[in-house]
Amino acid sequence: MRAALRSATEQNHERVDAAFSQYDLSSREGYRRFLLRQAAAHLPVERALDDAAGDVIEDWAIRRRADAIRADLADLGCQDIAEAPFDGFTSQAGLLGGVYVLEGSRLGGQILRKQVSEALPTRFLAQGSSLAWRAFIAVLEAKLTSKEEIAEAIAGARAVFACFEAAARRDVESY
Protein backbone atom coordinates (compact mmCIF):
# COMPACT_ATOMS: atom_id res chain seq x y z
CA MET A 1 0.00 0.00 0.00
CA ARG A 2 2.64 2.51 1.01
CA ALA A 3 4.74 1.68 -2.06
CA ALA A 4 1.71 2.11 -4.31
CA LEU A 5 0.92 5.53 -2.81
CA ARG A 6 4.53 6.65 -2.94
CA SER A 7 4.95 5.57 -6.56
CA ALA A 8 1.66 7.06 -7.75
CA THR A 9 2.31 10.43 -6.06
CA GLU A 10 6.06 10.70 -6.61
CA GLN A 11 5.77 13.49 -9.20
CA ASN A 12 3.25 15.37 -7.04
CA HIS A 13 5.64 15.15 -4.11
CA GLU A 14 8.57 16.36 -6.20
CA ARG A 15 6.59 19.39 -7.42
CA VAL A 16 5.60 20.32 -3.86
CA ASP A 17 9.17 19.93 -2.63
CA ALA A 18 10.40 22.11 -5.49
CA ALA A 19 7.77 24.77 -4.79
CA PHE A 20 8.60 24.95 -1.08
CA SER A 21 12.35 24.87 -1.66
CA GLN A 22 12.05 28.49 -2.84
CA TYR A 23 11.89 29.66 0.78
CA ASP A 24 14.96 30.56 2.80
CA LEU A 25 14.17 28.94 6.15
CA SER A 26 17.27 30.43 7.74
CA SER A 27 15.83 33.96 7.56
CA ARG A 28 12.90 35.19 9.62
CA GLU A 29 11.08 36.52 6.54
CA GLY A 30 11.68 33.40 4.45
CA TYR A 31 10.53 31.16 7.28
CA ARG A 32 7.46 33.33 7.90
CA ARG A 33 6.49 33.11 4.22
CA PHE A 34 7.09 29.34 4.26
CA LEU A 35 4.83 28.88 7.30
CA LEU A 36 2.12 31.12 5.83
CA ARG A 37 2.04 29.02 2.64
CA GLN A 38 2.13 25.77 4.65
CA ALA A 39 -0.77 27.03 6.75
CA ALA A 40 -2.68 28.13 3.64
CA ALA A 41 -2.90 24.48 2.60
CA HIS A 42 -2.53 22.65 5.90
CA LEU A 43 -5.43 24.34 7.69
CA PRO A 44 -8.20 23.60 5.15
CA VAL A 45 -6.94 20.05 4.61
CA GLU A 46 -6.79 19.37 8.34
CA ARG A 47 -10.26 20.85 8.80
CA ALA A 48 -11.59 18.49 6.10
CA LEU A 49 -9.92 15.61 7.93
CA ASP A 50 -11.41 16.68 11.25
CA ASP A 51 -14.87 15.86 9.93
CA ALA A 52 -14.17 12.13 9.68
CA ALA A 53 -10.58 11.23 10.52
CA GLY A 54 -11.37 10.47 14.15
CA ASP A 55 -13.57 7.61 12.97
CA VAL A 56 -10.74 6.19 10.84
CA ILE A 57 -7.57 7.05 12.75
CA GLU A 58 -7.90 6.49 16.47
CA ASP A 59 -5.26 9.02 17.49
CA TRP A 60 -6.23 11.75 15.01
CA ALA A 61 -6.71 14.34 17.76
CA ILE A 62 -3.05 14.18 18.77
CA ARG A 63 -1.85 14.18 15.16
CA ARG A 64 -3.42 17.56 14.44
CA ARG A 65 -0.95 20.41 13.93
CA ALA A 66 -3.21 23.39 13.18
CA ASP A 67 -2.70 24.87 16.64
CA ALA A 68 1.09 24.50 16.33
CA ILE A 69 1.33 26.32 13.01
CA ARG A 70 -1.02 29.06 14.20
CA ALA A 71 1.10 29.53 17.35
CA ASP A 72 4.33 29.68 15.33
CA LEU A 73 2.79 32.25 12.98
CA ALA A 74 1.47 34.29 15.90
CA ASP A 75 4.99 34.38 17.34
CA LEU A 76 6.11 35.75 13.96
CA GLY A 77 3.43 38.45 14.02
CA CYS A 78 0.96 36.78 11.65
CA GLN A 79 -2.68 36.48 12.60
CA ASP A 80 -4.40 36.36 9.20
CA ILE A 81 -3.90 33.31 7.01
CA ALA A 82 -5.31 33.30 3.48
CA GLU A 83 -6.35 29.67 3.07
CA ALA A 84 -6.22 27.86 -0.24
CA PRO A 85 -9.43 26.27 -1.48
CA PHE A 86 -9.79 22.57 -0.72
CA ASP A 87 -12.85 20.50 -1.62
CA GLY A 88 -12.41 17.80 1.00
CA PHE A 89 -12.63 14.04 0.68
CA THR A 90 -15.33 11.85 -0.81
CA SER A 91 -14.40 8.56 0.84
CA GLN A 92 -12.59 7.01 3.77
CA ALA A 93 -9.88 5.81 1.40
CA GLY A 94 -9.41 9.32 0.00
CA LEU A 95 -9.18 10.65 3.52
CA LEU A 96 -6.44 8.13 4.31
CA GLY A 97 -4.57 9.30 1.22
CA GLY A 98 -4.82 12.85 2.56
CA VAL A 99 -3.50 11.84 5.97
CA TYR A 100 -0.64 10.03 4.19
CA VAL A 101 0.50 13.37 2.77
CA LEU A 102 0.21 15.25 6.07
CA GLU A 103 2.00 12.52 7.99
CA GLY A 104 4.79 12.46 5.40
CA SER A 105 5.02 16.23 5.76
CA ARG A 106 5.34 15.80 9.50
CA LEU A 107 8.40 13.57 9.00
CA GLY A 108 9.86 16.00 6.47
CA GLY A 109 9.47 18.76 9.03
CA GLN A 110 12.18 17.12 11.12
CA ILE A 111 14.66 17.64 8.28
CA LEU A 112 13.49 21.18 7.53
CA ARG A 113 13.67 22.16 11.19
CA LYS A 114 17.47 21.88 11.03
CA GLN A 115 17.50 24.80 8.54
CA VAL A 116 15.55 27.12 10.87
CA SER A 117 17.30 29.49 13.26
CA GLU A 118 17.05 28.48 16.90
CA ALA A 119 15.56 31.92 17.60
CA LEU A 120 12.45 31.10 15.54
CA PRO A 121 9.43 29.06 16.65
CA THR A 122 9.33 25.49 15.34
CA ARG A 123 6.37 23.83 17.05
CA PHE A 124 4.88 22.91 13.66
CA LEU A 125 8.06 21.36 12.29
CA ALA A 126 9.02 19.69 15.58
CA GLN A 127 6.12 17.25 15.71
CA GLY A 128 7.56 14.47 13.55
CA SER A 129 7.98 10.94 14.84
CA SER A 130 8.96 7.76 13.07
CA LEU A 131 6.84 5.82 15.58
CA ALA A 132 3.75 7.86 14.66
CA TRP A 133 4.54 7.31 10.96
CA ARG A 134 4.81 3.54 11.42
CA ALA A 135 1.57 3.46 13.40
CA PHE A 136 -0.18 5.36 10.61
CA ILE A 137 1.22 3.04 7.94
CA ALA A 138 -0.19 0.08 9.90
CA VAL A 139 -3.63 1.74 9.80
CA LEU A 140 -3.23 2.45 6.09
CA GLU A 141 -2.30 -1.17 5.36
CA ALA A 142 -5.20 -2.51 7.42
CA LYS A 143 -7.88 -0.23 5.98
CA LEU A 144 -6.97 -0.07 2.29
CA THR A 145 -7.32 -3.51 0.82
CA SER A 146 -8.98 -3.26 -2.61
CA LYS A 147 -7.77 -1.76 -5.88
CA GLU A 148 -10.65 0.71 -5.73
CA GLU A 149 -9.65 1.86 -2.25
CA ILE A 150 -6.05 2.26 -3.36
CA ALA A 151 -7.17 4.36 -6.33
CA GLU A 152 -9.30 6.55 -4.02
CA ALA A 153 -6.38 6.96 -1.59
CA ILE A 154 -4.14 8.03 -4.46
CA ALA A 155 -6.74 10.57 -5.59
CA GLY A 156 -7.02 11.94 -2.04
CA ALA A 157 -3.24 12.21 -1.72
CA ARG A 158 -2.95 13.94 -5.10
CA ALA A 159 -5.65 16.44 -4.11
CA VAL A 160 -3.72 17.34 -0.95
CA PHE A 161 -0.44 17.65 -2.83
CA ALA A 162 -2.19 19.92 -5.36
CA CYS A 163 -3.48 22.15 -2.56
CA PHE A 164 0.03 22.52 -1.11
CA GLU A 165 1.57 23.12 -4.53
CA ALA A 166 -0.98 25.83 -5.34
CA ALA A 167 -0.39 27.52 -1.97
CA ALA A 168 3.39 27.52 -2.41
CA ARG A 169 3.40 28.65 -6.03
CA ARG A 170 0.91 31.44 -5.43
CA ASP A 171 3.35 33.08 -3.02
CA VAL A 172 6.48 32.41 -5.06
CA GLU A 173 4.93 33.81 -8.22
CA SER A 174 3.83 37.03 -6.49
CA TYR A 175 7.42 38.11 -5.70
Side-chain angles (χ1 to χ4, degrees):
M1 171 49 51
R2 184 174 89 178
L5 268 170
R6 182 179 29 220
S7 176
T9 62
E10 182 176 8
Q11 290 180 354
N12 306 88
H13 192 179
E14 288 173 1
R15 284 194 307 271
V16 168
D17 281 352
F20 277 99
S21 72
Q22 303 297 314
Y23 299 97
D24 177 7
L25 303 185
S26 66
S27 77
R28 181 180 179 88
E29 178 60 15
Y31 183 57
R32 184 189 68 79
R33 289 177 53 225
F34 168 83
L35 283 181
L36 279 169
R37 297 294 42 105
Q38 282 284 311
H42 187 92
L43 295 175
V45 169
E46 192 170 283
R47 193 170 35 259
L49 291 168
D50 282 342
D51 293 339
D55 297 334
V56 180
I57 301 169
E58 192 173 296
D59 63 349
W60 172 247
I62 63 172
R63 290 178 180 271
R64 298 182 78 258
R65 295 189 296 158
D67 291 342
I69 199 166
R70 282 189 186 105
D72 285 349
L73 283 166
D75 287 352
L76 293 169
C78 301
Q79 299 299 322
D80 296 324
I81 300 164
E83 293 185 14
F86 185 71
D87 292 334
F89 302 99
T90 58
S91 68
Q92 176 179 303
L95 180 144
L96 286 167
V99 175
Y100 168 82
V101 176
L102 292 190
E103 288 298 304
S105 168
R106 178 191 305 271
L107 278 183
Q110 290 292 296
I111 296 165
L112 296 177
R113 184 178 177 205
K114 295 174 186 174
Q115 299 174 36
V116 179
S117 165
E118 289 183 23
L120 298 173
T122 58
R123 288 173 284 250
F124 178 71
L125 295 179
Q127 294 191 0
S129 160
S130 59
L131 292 174
W133 172 254
R134 286 194 294 269
F136 170 70
I137 293 302
V139 169
L140 195 71
E141 297 284 347
K143 300 214 180 249
L144 300 178
T145 57
S146 72
K147 288 181 180 180
E148 294 79 16
E149 289 170 330
I150 293 169
E152 290 172 17
I154 290 167
R158 285 179 174 161
V160 172
F161 275 123
C163 184
F164 274 89
E165 183 179 6
R169 295 230 183 260
R170 180 176 67 211
D171 189 48
V172 170
E173 291 169 5
S174 69
Y175 283 87

